[in-house]
Each structure stands twice: as structure tokens, then as C-alpha cells.
Amino acid sequence: MMKWIFGVLVIMAATIVVAMIGGAPDMVSGGPHPEYAGMSIGGDSAARLDGLWIEGLILYFATFLMAPAFMAFGVAEHNRNKTFWTMMGGVTALNLVFATLLIVFYVDFLNTGETFMLLGFPAPTAMMLYGCWGTAALYTVIYIAGFNKFIFTPEDEKTFEALIAAKNAEKTEA
Amino acid sequence: MEAFREPIILACIGVYFVICILVGIWAMRKTHSASDFFIAGKGLGPVVVGLAVFSSTLSGFGFVGGPGLVYNMGMTSVWMVIVSTLGYAIVFYMLAKRMRVMAEIRDSISLPDIVAARYSSKAAGGWMAVVVILGVLGYLATQILAMSTVLQSILGNTEMFEGISLITCAVISVSVLIFYAVTGGILASVYTDLVQGLIMMVCGLLVVVAAAMAVDGGFTAASSSLLADDPEAIMPFGSGGMFAAVAWAFMFGVGIAGQPHLITKLMMNRTVKDTKIILPLSIAGYAVAAMLWISVGLVMRALVLQGNHDPLGLPDDAAPEFLTAYANPLLAGVVFAGLFAAIMSTADGFLNIGAAAIIHDLPKAIRGKPLKNELWWARVATVLLCLFATGFALYARYNSGELVALLGAFGWGTFAAAIFPVVALGLNWKRATANAAIFAIVLSLVFNFSVKLFGIAMPFGMDGGFISMLVSMIAFIGISYIEKPKPLQKDIEAIMDL
């Protein structure tokens, strides 16, 4: 699994290098607000991502994929069974659905200049606030529900107790 | 009630300070050893640890800098909050079990202890101690400066304390911090964190309501104002753009598992099973408290754009201005106490790990054994560290702009780059080597300090900490693959198999 993680990290770094070679469009990271000194603006949404969409999307989706990869890496290999992968895969898919909807609604806004409000925010931002933030909480549900099955199984507990016993025996001998 | 605004705010802060002192006195009676002082004898309940984990994550930055960033660049910085659900989960999946088990089996009381044990390398542990000490100085100094500045702005508004100096305010606030951190060690720290966490959650909830009421039409109207002025500000990547937002998302989402003041708390709970309760509590607490971050910045930007509020002098004025103009005096008092809580809860965590690094980890790395009477030395080190950081902060404030910039360099990104690969990856990957760990630590330090000292601009507005994390992780994994791994000690291998 580490080779996969390493590969994605290298791809992310290479993506940044490729993007740098292409150069930065104007206002790629915003500029000062013409009227208010303490504010910055993004300006022309489409123009500032011109030629950088692919690189931006690689970094964006890599971030959403790396998070569950690190979580899975933290679970002992022998505990990563079919149920674990199904649950992690399901939550990751759901999380990615909202991450994708965010992009779809954003691109639609860039093309049409129009969007709709959802629970107080424009649709793409609502996907971020309610969708991406909310669905990622399901990883916590897996942690709680699967604690005895994947995180710290009864066998793990026995090994832990044996380690403590060995340590105590060593101390007594010393 | 409005006529008594200042006395009410002062009373809230006074009550909060008294609570901190009382907790310190109570905790002193329960602290008998260095293990009690640094990791509370591994005996804390899940609620205490849960609230301590989130409250030490959300420093003064979350209450002042966060709303300021939203005011300045819209939604870009909100990604730091959005990834919290991912970030806390990463921390617990990767570290909660292994840190706690390692603390039990190897009697580890600090992060460098764990690193030294994992890699069977005193040098790796020593370098980790250096990172912690440098980071503690930088972080602590900025927290102390923030605490003193906030107290000065509050006291300076009253007739009685008009014209009070920053140094006096530093003395007052640092005295309270030192008192409870020295008397009660980590026990006082986590129990004040408990109080501080609860205050922050109450603040988050109340401020969201106040913010929604401050704009006619609530958040929908506020969003519409931003959309009409500059759509990018309220779109998901904010005015900072996609690259800056994604960089922050990665750095805060993944890098949270590299924050020493947070992950060392995972050695303090009673049992491994408690982490089932600690994780959801931490996430819930952070989410509620962080609502202040988003709502205040957004509403203040909308109010200024609508012409209903004067433009702010500085983005960081967003939260104080909001509290002064739109919050009930009692709410303002509670939030200012919450602000102190946020700053102090982070500062006391750093004091604790800093003192452990100085009196426990460095002597172990250099002499091969810890000092005698560690508890006494721990208290001495806590006082000296706090005084040194205060002096450092005040000197930097009055004399050297470069020093202030350097202090800022040791932020989240440096810890994330230096600690995430070595600890979070290293505790889960048997192939990781000591040389790779040392190289990753040194590389992170050199990279982050160089970026800050030489003013190197990162591409596309990305945070240097993100680039540094990528480079450090790639170097760590790459070197480990190149080197021939050494066999692990039996107990370490067994822990890593769990």
C-alpha cells in the first residue's frame, strides 16, 4: 500500500512542477479589492484557471483520495478485510460524489454565470460545506462501529496484554 | 446592559482566569511524578481527552486569524475547517492505538521518546526534541503575543486601565498561564482545556446565531452580497483560488497528524477503547467552535460590502469589530473569554511538550538517561520556557520584524512536514528507517526556515508548508526504500502488528 501512497505523492509533486512550467495566469491566487484595502478578490473565474484545470483537479481529487488511504494504512494489514474495504470504499465514493458535484456546479457557474442558493450558500459552496464536510464524518462512524473488528480486535487486545505481561516480567527480573 | 459592556467583558475574563487558577491548585494535589506531569499518568477519561484534543487544535488563530482570512479571501481558508472531519479521522486511524500502546509498553512520556523507541535511535529522538523545542518557542511566543494584545485591547477600552502597556498585559496573562501549567502540569492543562473547550463550543453556537441576525436575510443575503461583488469570494475556492485552497486542505487535513501538542494527548487516555468516544467528541467540538470562524468573517465582509459597516483597518479586526458592534455584551464577554481559552489551551499544551523535550528528551538523547527528580525540573523548565518565550515575543514585537516573521515560520506546516512522515507513517510502516526520519526532520526545518528567511514565494498562492510536506514525505519514503531496513525490536514489531 505504501508504494501506492508514494506514487500518488510523486504524481502530486510532478503536477505542481508541470503547472509551474506552464506559468501562472493573472490573478491565479487573487488580487487586492479595488475598493476595500483588507479584502482580496478572485476576478475572472475562468481566466485565472486557464490552462491549469487538469493540474488543479489532480491535486484536488488526490487530496480526497489520500485521506482515506492514510486511514486505511493506519489499520493493521490483517484487519483490512472485505468488510473494511467495502465500508471505506462506500464512504470514499460518497465523499467523492460531493467533491465531484462541487466541481460540476462550479463549472456550470463559470459557463453560465448563474447558480442557485442552497441552505444559505451558492450550490458549489453548499456541496463543500454540507456534502464534503458532512460525509467525511462517516469515516468516524466506521471507526466507532468497526473498532472491535478492524481497529483493536479482541486478538489485538490479547497481544497487547501479553506485551504488558512480558514487560512486567522483565521489570521483576531486573 | 449596553452601559455595562466593559465591566461585563472584564468580569467574564476575570471569572475565566479564576477558574484556571483553581484548576491549577486542584491538579497540583494530584501530580506526584513526571509521568503525572507530562501525560497525566495515562489515566484521563475520554470526555476530558476529547475536549482537550479539539481545544488545543483551535488556537487564537481560529478565533481571530480565521475570521480575518474569511473576510479577506472568502472561502479559501474555510478548507482548513472542512477537512477537519478527514483530519481527525486520519489522526485516530493512524496514531491513537499505536501511541497509547507505545506509551504503555515503553513507558514513553513524550513524542521524542516514541520516535527514539520506534527507530531504536537516540539521534532520531534527539532531532524530534529539537523540532519540538524550536516549535514550542515559536508557537508559544506567538500565542503569548496574541494573548497580551487581546488583553491590552480589552483593558485599554476601560477608564481604569486606559493606556495600559503591552508588557503589563503580558505579565498578567502569562502569570495565570504559568501558575496553572507549573502547579498542575498536564492535568491542569487538560482540565482547563475541558473548561476552555466548553466555552469555545458555547461561543461557536451563540456567535453563529448572532451573525445570522446581524445581516437582514441571514446567510443567504450575506452570500448574495458577496456573489454580487466578486463571485469567486463565495465560490468554494475563494479569492485565493483552487491551488491555495487545495494546499490548505491537504496541509490541515493530513498535517493535523503531525501536530505534537495534539497527538501527545493520545498517550493520556485510560484505555485504547476510549478512542471510540474521544474521536467523535473532538470532531463535534471542533465543528461547533469553528462555526465562529466561518460565520463572522463572512458576515463582516457582507456588512462592509452592503455599506452597513465601515471597512475594517485590518482583516484580523473582523472578530473584535463584530463582537463590539453586533454582539450582546454578555456574549461578547463569553467570546473574549473563549478567545483567551483558545489561546491558553494551545499555549499550555506547548509548554508541556516543550518542558518534556528539555528536561526529559534532550538529556536522554545526550546522556542516555533522564535527569533525577524530573518533576521538580519539569516545573522549573516550564517557568523558564514561558519566561523565555515571553521575552522572545516582546523583543520580536518591539525590535525585529525579521524575528516576528521567523516566529511565524514555525507554524502548522513545519510541524506537519517534520512530524507526519516520521511519526504517522513511521509507526505504521516497518520499512521506515532512522536515517530517513532524521533526513525528513532536517529537510523540513531547512525548507521552512529558508522559505521564510529568504521570502521565497510559493507558486499559485500555495502554502509553503504543503510543498514542504510533499517533499518531506517523498524523501522519507524514498530513502527508506533505498536503504536496507534494520530488524525491529520484538516489542516494537509486535506493536506495529496490532
Side-chain angles (χ1 to χ4, degrees), chain B residues 83-133:
Chain B
V83 292
S84 60
T85 38
L86 288 173
Y88 278 114
I90 290 174
V91 169
F92 279 75
Y93 274 90
M94 295 188 88
L95 291 171
K97 175 179 61 184
R98 299 197 200 288
M99 297 275 291
R100 182 62 187 80
V101 172
M102 197 77 117
E104 190 72 49
I105 304 299
R106 281 302 184 101
D107 291 326
S108 308
I109 62 170
S110 66
L111 201 57
D113 257 359
I114 286 191
V115 170
R118 156 62 185 87
Y119 295 97
S120 301
S121 163
K122 282 179 194 162
W127 275 105
M128 186 52 69
V130 170
V131 169
V132 169
I133 291 168

Side-chain angles (χ1 to χ4, degrees), chain A residues 3 19 29-30 33 38 40-43 45 48 70 74 76 78 106 120 125 133 136 139-140 143 147 151 167 171, chain B residues 72 82 85 93-94 97-98 104-105 107 219-220 223 229-230 232 234 238-240 275 283 301 460 481 497-498:
Chain A
K3 282 181 183 159
S29 56
H33 195 288
S40 65
I41 56 165
S45 313
R48 70 186 191 140
F70 284 129
H78 58 268
Y106 183 50
T125 312
W133 196 3
Y139 290 116
T140 298
Y143 187 89
F147 190 83
I151 309 294
K167 178 191 117 181
K171 267 188 180 173
Chain B
N72 175 266
I82 294 299
T85 38
Y93 274 90
M94 295 188 88
K97 175 179 61 184
R98 299 197 200 288
E104 190 72 49
I105 304 299
D107 291 326
F219 289 118
T220 306
S223 293
D229 175 65
D230 172 46
E232 280 293 271
I234 190 65
S239 62
T275 59
I283 289 185
R301 183 160 173 140
F460 313 116
Y481 269 133
D497 278 333
L498 287 176

